Amino acid sequence: MSAIKRLWNRAPLWRTALLTACLCTLLSLIFPAPWLVQIAPSYKVLTSKIGHTLGSDTSSFQDADSSGQPDQAAAEHHTASAPPFDAEFTGVIPFAGRQLPLPAGKWHAIANQQDDQNHSEVLSSVLVRVDQGLVTGLIVAQATTQPVSAENAQNLESLCNNGYNFLVGSLPQDGRQTECWMTSPVRVLDHSFMAANQPLQGLIASPILAFTLNRLTEMKFILPPAMVDAAWLHIEKTKSGSGVDVASVHTLISPATPGQKNFPGAPEDWTRTGMQNDPAVASFVNSVNVWLVKWLPYLRKAYANKLEANTIPATIAADPGYHN
């Protein structure tokens, strides 16, 4: 009997430690540590290959500076993944310790991201709905699991206070929480999202959305030239008063004709003033406005974890972009 075999049989503590070390090594390759990915290039290459084989790309979405180069400092504070596209989600799903209601149809998670900096944590998820190769809806959900500073949330509030929005609404502020909602035009040009609302542009030009567009393009999905963003934002002070919890849900809705790839109006008609030039554009914008107001109670219940499955009426869940 060899020395290793004798040690295996006579040293149960050593045997347990060896098995635990092997298991931890395997888990570290499947779920790589962000700090180790940054300092060990070979480890990053290996874990990326394993993640690709398993259907999950664990490479980071890197923020770009003004020169177009990755911002290494920012990249150290966020990790991201590209979930397998074949998974389908309907109804109400868990998100960031709360709930996220999904409009009608089958949704696919296409990108996830976690930002962790200065004792705060923000989760982002992007889901897409498609019909016959056409993107009919895109959800960008963000929420804190650890509070952010109130200063970081100020820019979010300006999303609703913008003259380019189609619709704007808000609840009276009570000193503890802020809630607003809006609909706004979003253009799709050269595989990029564009919005006249500058705070909204900051969101849709983020790395996770750039990755989403690239992935949709690689999978040959067709994006409409314009979409309407139906957005809801909730900001709430923590009990300690040291920060705020934030949740936002942006549902980008496509005006494509069901069963076809026709879109009403010209790209320039998808503005607050330009939509008056085309009745079909104005009608679609109005239908999104009406739908969002009906959808708000379910977003609020989901934020409070009080939304029961299968309780959303089908007529309300069916947004104007949904194709039966």
Side-chain angles (χ1 to χ4, degrees):
M1 182 181 294
S2 67
I4 294 179
K5 187 174 291 186
R6 288 196 300 271
L7 182 61
W8 180 270
N9 293 332
R10 297 179 181 179
L13 184 60
W14 173 84
R15 186 168 65 242
T16 301
L18 181 62
L19 292 174
T20 301
C22 293
L23 177 61
C24 290
T25 301
L26 178 62
L27 290 175
S28 72
L29 294 175
I30 300 176
F31 306 103
W35 62 271
L36 189 54
V37 168
Q38 296 297 327
I39 65 176
S42 58
Y43 174 73
K44 179 178 181 180
V45 172
L46 177 60
T47 55
S48 295
K49 289 181 178 179
I50 293 174
H52 181 74
T53 302
L54 296 176
S56 170
D57 185 0
T58 56
S59 60
S60 294
F61 301 118
Q62 294 183 328
D63 293 325
D65 58 23
S66 58
S67 64
Q69 298 300 316
D71 184 344
Q72 190 68 24
E76 292 177 356
H77 297 286
H78 66 232
T79 56
S81 62
F85 193 79
D86 54 357
E88 297 179 346
F89 301 92
T90 59
V92 182
I93 63 174
F95 175 67
R98 300 184 177 91
Q99 296 173 307
L100 176 65
L102 302 178
K106 297 177 180 178
W107 294 84
H108 307 266
I110 195 167
N112 296 319
Q113 181 169 296
Q114 175 179 316
D115 293 282
D116 187 2
Q117 190 171 9
N118 296 330
H119 306 291
S120 64
E121 184 179 83
V122 181
L123 299 183
S124 303
S125 288
V126 182
L127 298 99
V128 65
R129 183 183 61 197
V130 296
D131 177 63
Q132 300 180 34
L134 177 69
V135 174
T136 64
L138 197 69
I139 295 176
V140 184
Q142 293 185 312
T144 54
T145 56
Q146 295 292 332
V148 299
S149 66
E151 291 77 13
N152 291 341
Q154 288 178 352
N155 189 53
L156 293 175
E157 295 184 52
S158 61
L159 278 167
C160 294
N161 303 321
N162 193 282
Y164 291 101
N165 294 338
F166 293 131
L167 168 75
V168 174
S170 63
L171 292 180
Q173 296 191 26
D174 59 6
R176 187 180 65 88
Q177 60 183 4
T178 299
E179 181 181 310
C180 68
W181 54 90
M182 68 172 196
T183 60
S184 186
V186 174
R187 295 271 303 276
V188 183
L189 184 64
D190 295 331
H191 305 300
S192 298
F193 287 127
M194 299 180 64
N197 181 333
Q198 287 305 307
L200 177 59
Q201 179 63 34
L203 170 68
I204 61 179
S206 63
I208 191 172
L209 265 296
F211 176 85
T212 295
L213 285 174
N214 287 336
R215 195 174 182 201
L216 289 174
T217 301
E218 290 175 358
M219 291 187 287
K220 308 300 182 183
F221 288 123
I222 299 173
L223 281 157
M227 305 182 80
V228 178
D229 176 27
W232 173 79
L233 172 67
H234 183 93
I235 303 174
E236 186 172 332
K237 289 183 179 180
T238 59
K239 293 181 179 180
S240 64
S242 59
V244 295
D245 285 313
V246 179
S248 68
V249 180
H250 292 260
T251 306
L252 278 66
I253 301 174
S254 167
T257 304
Q260 303 179 33
K261 297 179 176 63
N262 298 327
F263 309 96
E268 58 270 16
D269 293 333
W270 291 94
T271 65
R272 184 171 181 174
T273 55
M275 69 178 188
Q276 307 304 327
N277 299 326
D278 192 307
V281 173
S283 176
F284 185 81
V285 170
N286 182 66
S287 65
V288 175
N289 293 344
V290 171
W291 173 80
L292 177 59
V293 173
K294 294 179 179 180
W295 190 240
L296 292 175
Y298 300 95
L299 291 169
R300 296 185 186 115
K301 287 183 179 180
Y303 180 82
N305 274 327
K306 295 181 178 179
L307 184 57
E308 297 181 5
N310 303 318
T311 60
I312 304 177
T315 54
I316 293 179
D319 62 272
Y322 174 57
H323 297 179
N324 291 319

